[in-house]
Each structure stands twice: as C-alpha cells, then as structure tokens.
Amino acid sequence: MLRTIPLEEIELNVFDAGTGHPVLFVHGFPLNHSMWRFQLEEFSKTHRVIAPDLRGFGQSEDSANVSTMPVLADDCAAVLDALQIDRPVTLCGLSMGGYVAWQFWKRHPDRLHRLVLCDTRAAADSPEVRQGRRASSDRVLKQGTAFLAESMIEKLFSPKTTSQQPDLVRDVQQMILTNSPQGVSAALLGMAARPDVTDWLPEINIPSLVIVGAADPISPVDEMRAIATALPQSSLQIIPDAGHMSPLEQPAIVNQHLRQFLRA
Ligand code: MLT
C-alpha cells in the first residue's frame, strides 16, 4: 500500500491501493497523505487511490529548492508515470493540494478527467500574507515546526471538531510536528510565489466538485462559491460543522458527495 517511488531528483512516499478509475489525492499544508485516510479507506474498495506525500512532507524526501506549485504538480504527474497510470485521473486536492490541482490542469491537461477542489483558493496571497509566509519560512528553519502546530490548529478545525474530536486534532498536530522544517519552509516559499489563477477558471471545462467546510476561515464559503460559479461544469457542496479540514472532520458527508460525483 505504501511505496517509495524514485523520481528524477527525489524519492516520494506514496499510498497506492485498489483498482478501477484512478483518483489522485493531494494533501494540504503542512500535512501528509494520511489526511485522506477516510477517503482512501472508502474509495480503495471501488477505485485506484493514489496519495503521495508531497516533496518535503511525511516520509518523502526534501528538496533543496523552493517547492513551487508547478514543481509539485509535475511530481504528481511523475508519480502517475512511475505507477504506469496513463488513464486521465480524478484529482482531489485540499487547500495547497488545490493550488497544485490548478497547475496540474495547466501543465498536464490530458491526464486530468475531473477535479475535486476542497477548501482551497484561486487567488494569490496578499502582500501581507506573502510577507508572513517568508517570515514563517525563516522561523521554521530556526525553530522547527512546533509553532505552526500551535498556531494553525484553530484555523484548521471548526469549533465543534476542536471540542468533540480532540484525538483527531492531536493527530493532525502530530502530522505537522513530524514534517521536516526544510520541506515546510520550501512549500511556504512555493505558496507565496503562486500566481492568481482566477482567470483560468472559466477555461477549466471538466466536471468539477467544489467542497468547503461551512466554518472554513482560510478558504471561506463565499470565496469557494465564486470558484464554483466560475468553473463551467461544477457543483458546490457546503459541509456543515466543518472547518478547513472537511474530509477529516466530516468524512461520511464528504464521502457521500464524492461517491455521487465519481458515479456520474
Ligand atoms: C493548506 O491547508 O494547505 C494551507 O492552509 C494553505 C495555505 O496556507 O494557503
């Protein structure tokens, strides 16, 4: 199920299970493939599910350079090559995984059948956010990831998840803590450098499912509604009692929407 895949520059740790139409799950920042655990368990029964730890995250190797969104998208395509998957995939990305999804569409359009965009954004960072990311990138190299594990938690989960699922919250904190400072720093700089892709949306003429937690403060409902409106073939699902991590917080509801989308 978990395998090490050597790419040109680095080795990635990749979850690969099941048979059938391939679904590629791309995790958010600063997490790893296991944030998709409930989807991997459910959809490996009917689909081939592939979920890499992006470079610098989880058990994958760090790279010496900035992890730009195009580089991460090309890594995903290289993983598909290594697994000899040449059918177009459904790509399901959350947040940073969504930033990677836009680039995958741009750079590898023939490999993409459908898109699932969870809790993500099409806009670039504001100058203040970009500045903050650069500062965090320096800080993480000096101090490690502990400050991120502390500061991000309340932005990732709805108040209900925080109070009712403390084990899940702890688990995600642990995911953040075990990432390498070098990998996290490289991705912060990569996200800061990403372009505004809002103009691309009307051209992404493939079936798309847009999912957002009702209480997501990072990619709020109104912003995701605007993305869904701009995508020519999309539907929007708002997940109650979920924050930024809707697939982890409300897996049954998210899986139901995903199942319906994959069936269509
Ligand atoms: C993520 O979940 O991937 C991050 O919140 C993305 C970001 O910081 O923009």
Side-chain angles (χ1 to χ4, degrees):
M1 297 240 192
L2 273 176
R3 48 207 290 183
T4 302
I5 301 199
L7 304 183
E8 246 173 53
E9 297 170 7
I10 47 163
E11 288 190 345
L12 296 189
N13 180 50
V14 178
F15 182 93
D16 174 26
T19 54
H21 175 82
V23 186
L24 175 66
F25 290 91
V26 186
H27 65 79
F29 171 92
L31 307 171
N32 65 48
H33 80 276
S34 73
M35 64 142 284
W36 296 111
R37 66 191 68 161
F38 299 117
Q39 288 68 44
L40 299 175
E41 188 189 342
E42 174 64 16
F43 292 98
S44 60
K45 295 173 193 159
T46 49
H47 291 73
R48 178 144 183 204
V49 295
I50 305 113
D53 286 345
L54 295 171
R55 62 168 71 200
F57 293 95
Q59 300 302 310
S60 287
E61 277 184 348
D62 288 341
S63 93
N65 304 318
V66 173
S67 297
T68 64
M69 301 304 107
V71 163
L72 298 181
D74 290 354
D75 283 349
C76 289
V79 165
L80 297 177
D81 283 341
L83 295 175
Q84 297 180 319
I85 296 174
D86 41 27
R87 297 166 67 172
V89 302
T90 298
L91 193 162
C92 178
L94 181 133
S95 201
M96 181 177 75
Y99 311 156
V100 173
W102 306 130
Q103 296 295 333
F104 191 92
W105 169 79
K106 191 68 172 176
R107 301 165 74 82
H108 306 283
D110 297 344
R111 309 197 78 150
L112 192 58
H113 178 44
R114 295 175 289 209
L115 268 179
V116 183
L117 299 149
C118 302
D119 302 279
T120 193
R121 311 187 61 211
D125 288 344
S126 66
E128 296 74 34
V129 171
R130 198 170 289 139
Q131 192 49 40
R133 291 212 205 262
R134 293 196 181 116
S136 296
S137 162
D138 288 343
R139 187 170 169 195
V140 84
L141 289 177
K142 292 190 192 114
Q143 297 178 6
T145 55
F147 78 94
L148 279 179
E150 274 307 309
S151 63
M152 284 197 72
I153 282 299
E154 73 181 33
K155 294 190 212 135
L156 294 181
F157 295 108
S158 71
K160 189 165 177 187
T161 306
T162 309
S163 64
Q164 296 188 357
Q165 300 194 68
D167 290 351
L168 182 66
V169 173
R170 259 194 302 276
D171 195 59
V172 168
Q173 259 173 327
Q174 205 49 38
M175 252 189 248
I176 299 175
L177 286 172
T178 50
N179 279 325
S180 90
Q182 172 66 38
V184 168
S185 168
L188 279 164
L189 296 178
M191 287 193 291
R194 76 185 196 285
D196 183 341
V197 301
T198 309
D199 286 353
W200 297 2
L201 302 181
E203 293 169 45
I204 305 182
N205 200 4
I206 54 175
S208 307
L209 172 63
V210 176
I211 289 178
V212 60
D216 183 347
I218 298 176
S219 36
V221 169
D222 283 351
E223 194 169 335
M224 290 224 70
R225 185 179 285 114
I227 290 176
T229 304
L231 290 167
Q233 295 187 52
S234 78
S235 60
L236 171 70
Q237 296 297 344
I238 300 171
I239 311 301
D241 294 325
H244 191 58
M245 298 302 302
S246 50
L248 261 181
E249 296 177 84
Q250 296 294 343
I253 302 175
V254 168
N255 285 359
Q256 194 187 343
H257 293 307
L258 199 44
R259 171 78 58 204
Q260 210 170 355
F261 178 70
L262 291 172
R263 259 202 212 115

